[in-house]
Amino acid sequence: MSARILNGNAIREEIYAELADKISALAAAGIRPGLAAVLVGENPASKVYVKSKIAACEKLGLASIHLTPPATSSTAELLSVVEELNLRDDVDGILVQLPLPTQVDAKKILEAVDPAKDVDGFHPINVGRLVAGRPNLVACTPLGVMEIFKRSGIPLEGANAVVLGRSDIVGKPMALLLMHANATVTVCHSKTRDLPEVARRADIVVAAMGRAAMITSDYIRPGATVIDVGINRITQAAEAEKLFAHFPERLAEFRAKGTALIGDVHPDVVNIAGALTPVPGGVGPLTIAMLMSNTVKAAQLRRGSRASVAAAVRQ
């Protein structure tokens, strides 16, 4: 029996509908939340990501500022850009698209963002609040995964959850959010012994290792919920033939385009998992949705009584 597919696109639209009410309430108080996106250089993938985030702002009626410093920018020059955005009252959220050029101290740039405008949830102050169980602005991808659980009726309390990956962006905040939801959490990584055996004990597996199709059916207990955070592009025909051997439609699509997106979870897992997020169309749409949600939340928190009163009227 195939897994239940957890449709991220449908959940995103639910969240956008709820955000529209909050945005209307803010507008009634004369407030338009604004997101500033800083894209350094010409990285093609980063340009696509930022474009999709700006498009989401336009769809929801949020203000957006798109800054494009050159790839030769120094740490000092980017710090100046961030400081100017920190001071602008019309900017509620600041997004510095990663990766940054090698000559830039990325940690210094991220730590320079005003924590009240840190809609990516990367600032040490916001991370510390999450650790303490007092979250404010939380990293968008794990926050989006929590929305998938909540809106799909996946019980977390008492569940055994395994997080595959320990990155600051996904793995660590994901584990903390699951712990705060009363799941029993194991965090695994490349040095974990008997990784498939550890994963097979889980009711919930969150895969964020950054390796295409690494998580095969051997890692999954029958009926488990599997969240695939990975997004990898494959271009080799031999690899596609192997991965999509049991999925003729996806193989035909690859042959037509010469490329395909695949997560960290092998496609065959759909036949053993109880529920599964697809790639694309699973976690990805929720990452952007939670960026929009964080921007609206930052506006409500930053702009004081006007925002609070207006939002309360509609909640």
Side-chain angles (χ1 to χ4, degrees), residues 162 164 194-202 205 209 211 213-222 224 226 264 269 272:
V162 166
L164 302 172
D194 301 320
L195 184 56
E197 181 181 341
V198 174
R200 273 197 307 272
R201 294 199 292 265
V205 175
M209 300 287 276
R211 293 179 58 185
M214 172 186 171
I215 309 306
T216 63
S217 298
D218 292 339
Y219 288 72
I220 306 301
R221 180 180 61 76
V226 180
D264 289 358
V269 168
I272 190 169

Side-chain angles (χ1 to χ4, degrees), residues 100-236:
L100 292 172
T102 54
Q103 78 275 8
V104 175
D105 186 334
K107 285 192 174 182
K108 189 173 287 187
I109 299 302
L110 295 178
E111 290 179 9
V113 174
D114 181 347
K117 297 186 177 186
D118 169 39
V119 288
D120 266 333
F122 295 162
H123 195 283
I125 287 178
N126 286 324
V127 173
R129 287 172 175 156
L130 176 59
V131 171
R134 297 159 50 195
N136 186 16
L137 297 172
V138 177
C140 298
T141 297
L143 196 60
V145 172
M146 295 301 287
E147 289 293 327
I148 292 174
F149 290 139
K150 181 175 74 174
R151 294 169 189 266
S152 303
I154 307 294
L156 298 179
E157 188 166 352
N160 289 320
V162 166
V163 178
L164 302 172
R166 56 179 171 179
S167 72
D168 293 340
I169 294 173
V170 179
K172 291 175 185 175
M174 187 77 256
L176 288 164
L177 287 168
L178 285 165
M179 280 192 288
H180 294 323
N182 296 320
T184 300
V185 183
T186 302
V187 179
C188 298
H189 44 79
S190 60
K191 306 301 182 185
T192 299
R193 296 176 182 172
D194 301 320
L195 184 56
E197 181 181 341
V198 174
R200 273 197 307 272
R201 294 199 292 265
D203 305 303
I204 295 167
V205 175
V206 180
M209 300 287 276
R211 293 179 58 185
M214 172 186 171
I215 309 306
T216 63
S217 298
D218 292 339
Y219 288 72
I220 306 301
R221 180 180 61 76
T225 295
V226 180
I227 304 295
D228 191 351
V229 177
I231 183 162
N232 311 280
R233 186 174 296 278
I234 59 171
T235 57
Q236 299 299 315

Side-chain angles (χ1 to χ4, degrees), residues 216-278:
T216 63
S217 298
D218 292 339
Y219 288 72
I220 306 301
R221 180 180 61 76
T225 295
V226 180
I227 304 295
D228 191 351
V229 177
I231 183 162
N232 311 280
R233 186 174 296 278
I234 59 171
T235 57
Q236 299 299 315
E239 186 177 17
E241 296 276 353
K242 183 177 179 180
L243 291 174
F244 300 140
H246 303 124
F247 303 89
E249 290 183 3
R250 293 206 66 182
L251 186 56
E253 184 180 359
F254 172 85
R255 288 169 175 163
K257 295 181 177 180
T259 183
L261 292 177
I262 192 165
D264 289 358
V265 176
H266 195 288
D268 286 348
V269 168
V270 73
N271 295 315
I272 190 169
L276 174 68
T277 57

Side-chain angles (χ1 to χ4, degrees), residues 29 50 58 78 81 99 154 193 210-211 224 231 296 306:
V50 170
E58 293 174 353
L78 290 181
V81 170
I154 307 294
R193 296 176 182 172
R211 293 179 58 185
I231 183 162
V296 172
R306 284 186 304 151

